[in-house]
Amino acid sequence: MRRGATPRLTTLIPMRTFRRGVLALLLCSLLLPSCAPASGLVFLCSNEESVCEQWREDFAAQEGVSAQFLRLPTSEALARISSSKGRPEFDAWVGGPSDSYVVAARRGLLEPYTPQHWDSIPTPFKDEAGNWFGVYGSVLALCSNPRVLKEQGLAQPSSWVDLEDEAYRSWISASSPLTSGTAFTALWTQAQIFGDEAPTHLRKVYSNVQRFTHSGAAPADIVASGKAAVAISFEPYCFKHNQQPGDRDQGDQLTIVFPSEGTFYEVGAAALLNGSRNPRSAKQFLDWLSGAPGQLSTTRSGVPQKPISTELAGNLEEFLHTTDVRVIDADATAIAKDREKWTKWTLDEIEFSK
């Protein structure tokens, strides 16, 4: 039957049976991994929903493997696989900053695997033991809505210090460092830049946040909708609103600025989960993600994340070697080392009830 076609019912179904069937389908959609076919792939995805769907669609079409996914922000995804250790729900995990994968590896949640295109991934963007490897890169930015800034009489921010100004109170949108890998990267980056002054700086910035989102991609959407003026997010989540204006409802176009004091980037990773129910499909998925088809799939979704593979133009390593943007020099291990310290500080110091 062709996709989208309406199935023909050859027999009449009693209403009670029909209702039970609908209920079963709804439960299956909520408990997705337990309903997956034994031969298919179920992956946990910590990228934007449209990218997750593009990965699923392209992998199924190009490799002939049925796939399903559950989308969760990075920190929530880490908590999910940690809580299900010994009874895995997913075969692979993809998306979200690699420092969370470092933590997952230390907890014994990942199974080492070197995918087909391993050698094209630069050493800083993969785990030497094969626990994870980079699929895409994104640089942290400030994304502003010029229309809202003008209406509210606000200046275009160009630095982290600018965000301390009380004039931005309730006009900044940011995700929670407790759920979002994007947000933790942003908090950690500012902590490195401001050193001993970081706690004071961070309190001022986060007191100006309108409300905290779970997902790191959401602030850019909120700002594009005109409900906030400035988003702290990765550049591709903002840039998608500036593509093909009028082609679809993307909201307002955004101005993208890299903070003058410096910024950082994510290496969006992928890994085989320990105890994968379908290791063959999972490894096929990781092979695909490590090569050009998987690494370019994000661009097809409208979110132009940079590929990691050195075989592809515009890759993250190439950007870091040629850009004029001030970028902190660090790696996933260094960030993971600070995770517990700054998570505790966030819990103690930031008000998330608003």
Side-chain angles (χ1 to χ4, degrees):
M1 181 171 62
R2 70 181 187 277
R3 186 178 179 183
T6 303
R8 295 180 180 178
L9 298 178
T10 56
T11 59
L12 294 176
I13 301 175
M15 184 56 68
R16 181 178 297 177
T17 302
F18 175 76
R19 287 173 177 167
R20 287 176 179 171
V22 171
L23 179 59
L25 288 172
L26 289 172
L27 288 173
C28 187
S29 68
L30 293 172
L31 304 173
L32 179 150
S34 63
C35 300
S39 61
L41 169 77
V42 179
F43 64 95
L44 188 59
C45 187
S46 297
N47 208 326
E48 190 187 60
E49 185 86 20
S50 64
V51 178
C52 300
E53 176 56 32
Q54 195 70 54
W55 276 331
R56 185 206 64 77
E57 183 179 305
D58 288 351
F59 176 66
Q62 296 170 24
E63 299 292 320
V65 178
S66 62
Q68 300 181 64
F69 69 86
L70 178 67
R71 197 275 167 194
L72 286 177
T74 314
S75 296
E76 288 189 0
L78 177 60
R80 177 75 171 252
I81 60 175
S82 296
S83 66
S84 62
K85 184 178 181 180
R87 42 186 178 82
E89 301 175 273
F90 310 95
D91 303 310
W93 181 21
V94 59
S98 54
D99 58 282
S100 289
Y101 289 72
V102 173
V103 175
R106 289 174 180 170
R107 295 178 182 175
L109 302 173
L110 308 181
E111 182 177 331
Y113 177 67
T114 54
Q116 184 177 353
H117 302 279
W118 178 259
D119 291 341
S120 71
I121 308 296
T123 299
F125 306 150
K126 62 186 177 185
D127 176 60
E128 63 179 10
N131 285 298
W132 58 267
F133 65 92
V135 178
Y136 64 88
S138 303
V139 182
L140 200 61
L142 306 181
C143 315
S144 304
N145 187 318
R147 175 179 62 82
V148 176
L149 290 174
K150 182 177 180 180
E151 290 174 354
Q152 300 302 319
L154 298 172
Q156 166 71 55
S158 60
S159 68
W160 294 114
V161 167
D162 286 347
L163 300 186
E164 296 181 8
D165 193 333
E166 290 186 2
Y168 293 102
R169 183 67 55 89
S170 81
W171 287 105
I172 296 176
S173 182
S175 49
S176 167
L178 302 180
T179 60
S180 162
T182 303
F184 186 81
T185 301
L187 185 147
W188 181 88
T189 298
Q190 293 171 81
Q192 304 315 297
I193 291 171
F194 289 90
D196 293 341
E197 299 301 317
T200 300
H201 163 77
L202 289 167
R203 288 189 198 98
K204 290 179 179 179
V205 171
Y206 288 116
S207 67
N208 287 337
V209 173
Q210 179 189 89
R211 68 180 182 84
F212 292 92
T213 66
H214 287 283
S215 165
D221 297 337
I222 290 171
V223 170
S225 73
K227 296 177 182 177
V230 183
I232 302 174
S233 192
F234 286 119
E235 176 198 16
Y237 298 142
C238 304
F239 188 78
K240 72 173 186 177
H241 293 283
N242 297 350
Q243 298 183 88
Q244 301 174 340
D247 204 31
R248 55 179 175 160
D249 185 14
Q250 290 279 49
D252 294 337
Q253 300 243 326
L254 303 180
T255 300
I256 301 171
V257 174
F258 298 110
S260 59
E261 303 96 334
T263 187
F264 195 56
Y265 57 90
E266 69 167 331
V267 174
L272 177 65
L273 292 175
N274 196 3
S276 168
R277 301 170 313 155
N278 296 303
R280 182 175 179 179
S281 295
K283 291 175 181 179
Q284 188 174 352
F285 182 52
L286 296 177
D287 287 343
W288 179 80
L289 284 170
S290 70
Q295 302 227 339
L296 295 176
S297 188
T298 61
T299 302
R300 286 166 51 83
S301 73
V303 181
Q305 294 167 327
K306 302 180 190 303
I308 294 295
S309 171
T310 54
E311 296 176 356
L312 299 171
N315 63 73
L316 180 61
E317 184 178 65
E318 181 182 293
F319 168 82
L320 294 175
H321 286 166
T322 59
T323 184
D324 292 330
V325 176
R326 298 178 65 180
V327 181
I328 293 175
D329 182 19
D331 59 24
T333 302
I335 305 173
K337 183 179 179 181
D338 289 341
R339 175 172 285 276
E340 184 176 348
K341 168 188 173 182
W342 284 106
T343 297
K344 184 180 185 304
W345 183 89
T346 301
L347 282 166
D348 293 342
E349 300 291 339
I350 304 299
E351 174 60 58
F352 290 103
S353 62
K354 57 183 175 181

PDB file of all heavy atoms in Angstrom, residues 20-37 42 68-70 80 89-90 277:
ATOM      1  N   ARG A  20     -10.259  -0.149  21.833  1.00  0.00           N
ATOM      2  CA  ARG A  20      -9.100  -0.787  22.448  1.00  0.00           C
ATOM      3  C   ARG A  20      -7.880  -0.714  21.533  1.00  0.00           C
ATOM      4  O   ARG A  20      -6.749  -0.519  21.976  1.00  0.00           O
ATOM      5  CB  ARG A  20      -9.420  -2.256  22.766  1.00  0.00           C
ATOM      6  CG  ARG A  20     -10.374  -2.430  23.952  1.00  0.00           C
ATOM      7  CD  ARG A  20     -10.720  -3.898  24.129  1.00  0.00           C
ATOM      8  NE  ARG A  20     -11.608  -4.080  25.270  1.00  0.00           N
ATOM      9  CZ  ARG A  20     -12.213  -5.234  25.552  1.00  0.00           C
ATOM     10  NH1 ARG A  20     -12.008  -6.288  24.761  1.00  0.00           N
ATOM     11  NH2 ARG A  20     -12.996  -5.331  26.598  1.00  0.00           N
ATOM     12  N   GLY A  21      -8.124  -0.875  20.240  1.00  0.00           N
ATOM     13  CA  GLY A  21      -7.030  -0.798  19.274  1.00  0.00           C
ATOM     14  C   GLY A  21      -6.406   0.583  19.238  1.00  0.00           C
ATOM     15  O   GLY A  21      -5.182   0.737  19.182  1.00  0.00           O
ATOM     16  N   VAL A  22      -7.268   1.620  19.254  1.00  0.00           N
ATOM     17  CA  VAL A  22      -6.770   3.000  19.268  1.00  0.00           C
ATOM     18  C   VAL A  22      -5.963   3.263  20.528  1.00  0.00           C
ATOM     19  O   VAL A  22      -4.880   3.867  20.492  1.00  0.00           O
ATOM     20  CB  VAL A  22      -7.939   4.000  19.158  1.00  0.00           C
ATOM     21  CG1 VAL A  22      -7.442   5.418  19.393  1.00  0.00           C
ATOM     22  CG2 VAL A  22      -8.594   3.891  17.789  1.00  0.00           C
ATOM     23  N   LEU A  23      -6.471   2.773  21.676  1.00  0.00           N
ATOM     24  CA  LEU A  23      -5.765   2.951  22.938  1.00  0.00           C
ATOM     25  C   LEU A  23      -4.397   2.271  22.897  1.00  0.00           C
ATOM     26  O   LEU A  23      -3.394   2.820  23.352  1.00  0.00           O
ATOM     27  CB  LEU A  23      -6.598   2.385  24.095  1.00  0.00           C
ATOM     28  CG  LEU A  23      -5.964   2.485  25.503  1.00  0.00           C
ATOM     29  CD1 LEU A  23      -5.689   3.935  25.851  1.00  0.00           C
ATOM     30  CD2 LEU A  23      -6.883   1.848  26.534  1.00  0.00           C
ATOM     31  N   ALA A  24      -4.346   1.080  22.316  1.00  0.00           N
ATOM     32  CA  ALA A  24      -3.082   0.353  22.210  1.00  0.00           C
ATOM     33  C   ALA A  24      -2.076   1.120  21.361  1.00  0.00           C
ATOM     34  O   ALA A  24      -0.880   1.184  21.680  1.00  0.00           O
ATOM     35  CB  ALA A  24      -3.317  -1.031  21.615  1.00  0.00           C
ATOM     36  N   LEU A  25      -2.561   1.715  20.265  1.00  0.00           N
ATOM     37  CA  LEU A  25      -1.676   2.498  19.405  1.00  0.00           C
ATOM     38  C   LEU A  25      -1.134   3.715  20.123  1.00  0.00           C
ATOM     39  O   LEU A  25       0.030   4.089  19.979  1.00  0.00           O
ATOM     40  CB  LEU A  25      -2.413   2.917  18.130  1.00  0.00           C
ATOM     41  CG  LEU A  25      -2.678   1.801  17.116  1.00  0.00           C
ATOM     42  CD1 LEU A  25      -3.584   2.326  16.003  1.00  0.00           C
ATOM     43  CD2 LEU A  25      -1.385   1.269  16.540  1.00  0.00           C
ATOM     44  N   LEU A  26      -2.002   4.374  20.925  1.00  0.00           N
ATOM     45  CA  LEU A  26      -1.572   5.547  21.672  1.00  0.00           C
ATOM     46  C   LEU A  26      -0.524   5.159  22.706  1.00  0.00           C
ATOM     47  O   LEU A  26       0.483   5.848  22.881  1.00  0.00           O
ATOM     48  CB  LEU A  26      -2.769   6.209  22.360  1.00  0.00           C
ATOM     49  CG  LEU A  26      -3.754   6.935  21.438  1.00  0.00           C
ATOM     50  CD1 LEU A  26      -4.981   7.381  22.228  1.00  0.00           C
ATOM     51  CD2 LEU A  26      -3.089   8.134  20.783  1.00  0.00           C
ATOM     52  N   LEU A  27      -0.750   4.046  23.407  1.00  0.00           N
ATOM     53  CA  LEU A  27       0.217   3.588  24.392  1.00  0.00           C
ATOM     54  C   LEU A  27       1.536   3.230  23.728  1.00  0.00           C
ATOM     55  O   LEU A  27       2.615   3.506  24.246  1.00  0.00           O
ATOM     56  CB  LEU A  27      -0.337   2.371  25.148  1.00  0.00           C
ATOM     57  CG  LEU A  27      -1.461   2.665  26.148  1.00  0.00           C
ATOM     58  CD1 LEU A  27      -2.019   1.351  26.686  1.00  0.00           C
ATOM     59  CD2 LEU A  27      -0.961   3.532  27.292  1.00  0.00           C
ATOM     60  N   CYS A  28       1.447   2.646  22.545  1.00  0.00           N
ATOM     61  CA  CYS A  28       2.653   2.271  21.807  1.00  0.00           C
ATOM     62  C   CYS A  28       3.460   3.499  21.425  1.00  0.00           C
ATOM     63  O   CYS A  28       4.679   3.501  21.494  1.00  0.00           O
ATOM     64  CB  CYS A  28       2.264   1.483  20.557  1.00  0.00           C
ATOM     65  SG  CYS A  28       3.686   0.791  19.678  1.00  0.00           S
ATOM     66  N   SER A  29       2.755   4.573  21.047  1.00  0.00           N
ATOM     67  CA  SER A  29       3.465   5.796  20.662  1.00  0.00           C
ATOM     68  C   SER A  29       4.159   6.425  21.854  1.00  0.00           C
ATOM     69  O   SER A  29       5.206   7.059  21.718  1.00  0.00           O
ATOM     70  CB  SER A  29       2.493   6.801  20.023  1.00  0.00           C
ATOM     71  OG  SER A  29       1.577   7.273  20.976  1.00  0.00           O
ATOM     72  N   LEU A  30       3.583   6.244  23.067  1.00  0.00           N
ATOM     73  CA  LEU A  30       4.191   6.799  24.266  1.00  0.00           C
ATOM     74  C   LEU A  30       5.349   5.927  24.760  1.00  0.00           C
ATOM     75  O   LEU A  30       6.332   6.425  25.289  1.00  0.00           O
ATOM     76  CB  LEU A  30       3.135   6.925  25.377  1.00  0.00           C
ATOM     77  CG  LEU A  30       2.029   7.955  25.129  1.00  0.00           C
ATOM     78  CD1 LEU A  30       0.964   7.838  26.209  1.00  0.00           C
ATOM     79  CD2 LEU A  30       2.592   9.365  25.107  1.00  0.00           C
ATOM     80  N   LEU A  31       5.211   4.636  24.581  1.00  0.00           N
ATOM     81  CA  LEU A  31       6.238   3.702  25.010  1.00  0.00           C
ATOM     82  C   LEU A  31       6.965   3.154  23.799  1.00  0.00           C
ATOM     83  O   LEU A  31       7.138   1.965  23.625  1.00  0.00           O
ATOM     84  CB  LEU A  31       5.597   2.557  25.806  1.00  0.00           C
ATOM     85  CG  LEU A  31       4.771   2.995  27.015  1.00  0.00           C
ATOM     86  CD1 LEU A  31       4.050   1.807  27.613  1.00  0.00           C
ATOM     87  CD2 LEU A  31       5.659   3.640  28.064  1.00  0.00           C
ATOM     88  N   LEU A  32       7.413   4.037  22.944  1.00  0.00           N
ATOM     89  CA  LEU A  32       7.920   3.710  21.611  1.00  0.00           C
ATOM     90  C   LEU A  32       8.910   2.556  21.573  1.00  0.00           C
ATOM     91  O   LEU A  32       8.733   1.631  20.808  1.00  0.00           O
ATOM     92  CB  LEU A  32       8.528   4.972  21.000  1.00  0.00           C
ATOM     93  CG  LEU A  32       9.150   4.901  19.617  1.00  0.00           C
ATOM     94  CD1 LEU A  32       9.005   6.263  18.949  1.00  0.00           C
ATOM     95  CD2 LEU A  32      10.616   4.536  19.673  1.00  0.00           C
ATOM     96  N   PRO A  33       9.955   2.524  22.398  1.00  0.00           N
ATOM     97  CA  PRO A  33      10.929   1.466  22.258  1.00  0.00           C
ATOM     98  C   PRO A  33      10.352   0.069  22.437  1.00  0.00           C
ATOM     99  O   PRO A  33      10.723  -0.863  21.745  1.00  0.00           O
ATOM    100  CB  PRO A  33      11.952   1.792  23.358  1.00  0.00           C
ATOM    101  CG  PRO A  33      11.838   3.261  23.534  1.00  0.00           C
ATOM    102  CD  PRO A  33      10.357   3.541  23.361  1.00  0.00           C
ATOM    103  N   SER A  34       9.420  -0.111  23.386  1.00  0.00           N
ATOM    104  CA  SER A  34       8.879  -1.431  23.644  1.00  0.00           C
ATOM    105  C   SER A  34       7.988  -1.910  22.518  1.00  0.00           C
ATOM    106  O   SER A  34       7.661  -3.082  22.442  1.00  0.00           O
ATOM    107  CB  SER A  34       8.090  -1.410  24.958  1.00  0.00           C
ATOM    108  OG  SER A  34       6.981  -0.538  24.844  1.00  0.00           O
ATOM    109  N   CYS A  35       7.559  -1.026  21.632  1.00  0.00           N
ATOM    110  CA  CYS A  35       6.679  -1.395  20.532  1.00  0.00           C
ATOM    111  C   CYS A  35       7.426  -1.562  19.219  1.00  0.00           C
ATOM    112  O   CYS A  35       6.823  -1.802  18.186  1.00  0.00           O
ATOM    113  CB  CYS A  35       5.599  -0.323  20.346  1.00  0.00           C
ATOM    114  SG  CYS A  35       4.574  -0.073  21.796  1.00  0.00           S
ATOM    115  N   ALA A  36       8.737  -1.357  19.243  1.00  0.00           N
ATOM    116  CA  ALA A  36       9.499  -1.390  18.000  1.00  0.00           C
ATOM    117  C   ALA A  36       9.606  -2.806  17.462  1.00  0.00           C
ATOM    118  O   ALA A  36       9.675  -3.764  18.224  1.00  0.00           O
ATOM    119  CB  ALA A  36      10.903  -0.839  18.240  1.00  0.00           C
ATOM    120  N   PRO A  37       9.608  -2.959  16.143  1.00  0.00           N
ATOM    121  CA  PRO A  37       9.808  -4.282  15.574  1.00  0.00           C
ATOM    122  C   PRO A  37      11.197  -4.808  15.910  1.00  0.00           C
ATOM    123  O   PRO A  37      12.157  -4.056  16.012  1.00  0.00           O
ATOM    124  CB  PRO A  37       9.668  -4.029  14.062  1.00  0.00           C
ATOM    125  CG  PRO A  37       9.983  -2.586  13.886  1.00  0.00           C
ATOM    126  CD  PRO A  37       9.477  -1.904  15.114  1.00  0.00           C
ATOM    127  N   VAL A  42      15.825   1.519  17.046  1.00  0.00           N
ATOM    128  CA  VAL A  42      15.238   2.542  17.913  1.00  0.00           C
ATOM    129  C   VAL A  42      16.390   3.368  18.470  1.00  0.00           C
ATOM    130  O   VAL A  42      17.262   2.843  19.159  1.00  0.00           O
ATOM    131  CB  VAL A  42      14.433   1.924  19.074  1.00  0.00           C
ATOM    132  CG1 VAL A  42      13.862   3.035  19.951  1.00  0.00           C
ATOM    133  CG2 VAL A  42      13.305   1.062  18.546  1.00  0.00           C
ATOM    134  N   GLN A  68      12.833   4.119  14.391  1.00  0.00           N
ATOM    135  CA  GLN A  68      12.011   4.993  15.218  1.00  0.00           C
ATOM    136  C   GLN A  68      12.934   5.711  16.194  1.00  0.00           C
ATOM    137  O   GLN A  68      14.042   5.246  16.464  1.00  0.00           O
ATOM    138  CB  GLN A  68      10.974   4.185  15.999  1.00  0.00           C
ATOM    139  CG  GLN A  68      10.001   3.400  15.140  1.00  0.00           C
ATOM    140  CD  GLN A  68       9.001   2.645  15.980  1.00  0.00           C
ATOM    141  OE1 GLN A  68       8.192   3.233  16.683  1.00  0.00           O
ATOM    142  NE2 GLN A  68       9.056   1.320  15.928  1.00  0.00           N
ATOM    143  N   PHE A  69      12.466   6.845  16.731  1.00  0.00           N
ATOM    144  CA  PHE A  69      13.293   7.567  17.693  1.00  0.00           C
ATOM    145  C   PHE A  69      12.433   8.204  18.771  1.00  0.00           C
ATOM    146  O   PHE A  69      11.236   8.422  18.594  1.00  0.00           O
ATOM    147  CB  PHE A  69      14.128   8.651  16.996  1.00  0.00           C
ATOM    148  CG  PHE A  69      13.333   9.816  16.461  1.00  0.00           C
ATOM    149  CD1 PHE A  69      13.016  10.898  17.272  1.00  0.00           C
ATOM    150  CD2 PHE A  69      12.903   9.835  15.141  1.00  0.00           C
ATOM    151  CE1 PHE A  69      12.275  11.982  16.777  1.00  0.00           C
ATOM    152  CE2 PHE A  69      12.170  10.904  14.646  1.00  0.00           C
ATOM    153  CZ  PHE A  69      11.862  11.982  15.461  1.00  0.00           C
ATOM    154  N   LEU A  70      13.084   8.486  19.887  1.00  0.00           N
ATOM    155  CA  LEU A  70      12.489   9.294  20.946  1.00  0.00           C
ATOM    156  C   LEU A  70      13.381  10.502  21.118  1.00  0.00           C
ATOM    157  O   LEU A  70      14.601  10.363  21.279  1.00  0.00           O
ATOM    158  CB  LEU A  70      12.390   8.519  22.254  1.00  0.00           C
ATOM    159  CG  LEU A  70      11.821   9.309  23.439  1.00  0.00           C
ATOM    160  CD1 LEU A  70      10.348   9.653  23.200  1.00  0.00           C
ATOM    161  CD2 LEU A  70      11.967   8.518  24.739  1.00  0.00           C
ATOM    162  N   ARG A  80      17.815   9.276  31.297  1.00  0.00           N
ATOM    163  CA  ARG A  80      16.948   8.173  30.864  1.00  0.00           C
ATOM    164  C   ARG A  80      17.751   6.885  30.680  1.00  0.00           C
ATOM    165  O   ARG A  80      17.350   5.819  31.163  1.00  0.00           O
ATOM    166  CB  ARG A  80      16.251   8.568  29.560  1.00  0.00           C
ATOM    167  CG  ARG A  80      15.356   7.497  28.926  1.00  0.00           C
ATOM    168  CD  ARG A  80      14.032   7.327  29.657  1.00  0.00           C
ATOM    169  NE  ARG A  80      13.137   6.457  28.915  1.00  0.00           N
ATOM    170  CZ  ARG A  80      12.048   6.873  28.253  1.00  0.00           C
ATOM    171  NH1 ARG A  80      11.725   8.160  28.256  1.00  0.00           N
ATOM    172  NH2 ARG A  80      11.270   6.016  27.624  1.00  0.00           N
ATOM    173  N   GLU A  89      16.411   0.426  26.508  1.00  0.00           N
ATOM    174  CA  GLU A  89      15.237   0.742  25.686  1.00  0.00           C
ATOM    175  C   GLU A  89      15.625   1.086  24.250  1.00  0.00           C
ATOM    176  O   GLU A  89      14.806   0.987  23.348  1.00  0.00           O
ATOM    177  CB  GLU A  89      14.508   1.946  26.273  1.00  0.00           C
ATOM    178  CG  GLU A  89      14.027   1.796  27.690  1.00  0.00           C
ATOM    179  CD  GLU A  89      13.427   3.100  28.197  1.00  0.00           C
ATOM    180  OE1 GLU A  89      14.192   3.941  28.715  1.00  0.00           O
ATOM    181  OE2 GLU A  89      12.204   3.267  28.057  1.00  0.00           O
ATOM    182  N   PHE A  90      16.875   1.530  24.065  1.00  0.00           N
ATOM    183  CA  PHE A  90      17.302   2.066  22.769  1.00  0.00           C
ATOM    184  C   PHE A  90      18.554   1.339  22.284  1.00  0.00           C
ATOM    185  O   PHE A  90      19.288   0.732  23.067  1.00  0.00           O
ATOM    186  CB  PHE A  90      17.582   3.563  22.883  1.00  0.00           C
ATOM    187  CG  PHE A  90      16.471   4.337  23.530  1.00  0.00           C
ATOM    188  CD1 PHE A  90      16.501   4.625  24.892  1.00  0.00           C
ATOM    189  CD2 PHE A  90      15.385   4.763  22.782  1.00  0.00           C
ATOM    190  CE1 PHE A  90      15.465   5.332  25.492  1.00  0.00           C
ATOM    191  CE2 PHE A  90      14.347   5.460  23.376  1.00  0.00           C
ATOM    192  CZ  PHE A  90      14.382   5.745  24.730  1.00  0.00           C
ATOM    193  N   ARG A 277      19.569  -3.879  21.729  1.00  0.00           N
ATOM    194  CA  ARG A 277      18.746  -5.027  21.352  1.00  0.00           C
ATOM    195  C   ARG A 277      18.962  -5.419  19.899  1.00  0.00           C
ATOM    196  O   ARG A 277      18.758  -6.558  19.508  1.00  0.00           O
ATOM    197  CB  ARG A 277      17.259  -4.707  21.574  1.00  0.00           C
ATOM    198  CG  ARG A 277      16.914  -4.343  23.012  1.00  0.00           C
ATOM    199  CD  ARG A 277      15.499  -3.808  23.109  1.00  0.00           C
ATOM    200  NE  ARG A 277      15.271  -2.824  22.056  1.00  0.00           N
ATOM    201  CZ  ARG A 277      14.051  -2.535  21.578  1.00  0.00           C
ATOM    202  NH1 ARG A 277      12.997  -3.172  22.034  1.00  0.00           N
ATOM    203  NH2 ARG A 277      13.907  -1.616  20.651  1.00  0.00           N
TER     204      ARG A 277
END
